[in-house]
Amino acid sequence: MTLVLRPAVSPARVHVEVTFALPGGGPASWKIARGAADHVTHATGHDASGDIGIQVGPGSPGVDLRLDRPSKGPVTLAYDVLAGGDAPDDPLGVLVLDDRFRGAGESLVALPLGA
């Protein structure tokens, strides 16, 4: 697995890119364990066969990311996670300021179901 996190201040968000290689391809369902679906924007996917559309929706709990098709070979998902208004009081919340960033993996990183 390869993970890239790029915090940005305006608007306060973290751009996430996660590449996961599963033998023979991967499932079409991914999950961010904690957070709200309306905080995940600009979701895109790509694998050996080309672009993959992604539908973002609420999970129970967390956020579900559903790929339009199962992936073939290594797959890269890219998306933005917006910082929440409650982040200063929530130690697991996403906080982005001019000179620092705080975030928990459960709120940022999507993983394929079963990983």
Side-chain angles (χ1 to χ4, degrees):
M1 180 173 103
T2 304
L3 177 65
V4 176
L5 303 173
R6 288 190 192 107
V9 175
S10 181
R13 70 191 182 286
V14 177
H15 179 75
V16 179
E17 293 179 22
V18 58
T19 301
F20 213 96
L22 297 169
S29 295
W30 291 57
K31 183 167 210 55
I32 299 173
R34 186 174 190 275
D38 61 349
H39 284 205
V40 178
T41 62
H42 304 103
T44 61
H46 189 82
D47 69 359
S49 296
D51 293 337
I52 304 173
I54 299 176
Q55 304 301 316
V56 177
S60 181
V63 180
D64 290 337
L65 290 87
R66 290 173 296 284
L67 282 60
D68 288 346
R69 61 174 171 78
S71 60
K72 295 182 171 91
V75 62
T76 299
L77 269 61
Y79 51 90
D80 291 341
V81 177
L82 302 174
D86 60 346
D89 299 325
D90 180 2
L92 297 178
V94 177
L95 177 68
V96 179
L97 302 172
D98 288 337
D99 60 346
R100 73 190 112 209
F101 150 72
R102 181 194 70 216
E106 297 94 338
S107 301
L108 294 172
V109 181
L111 294 175
L113 292 183

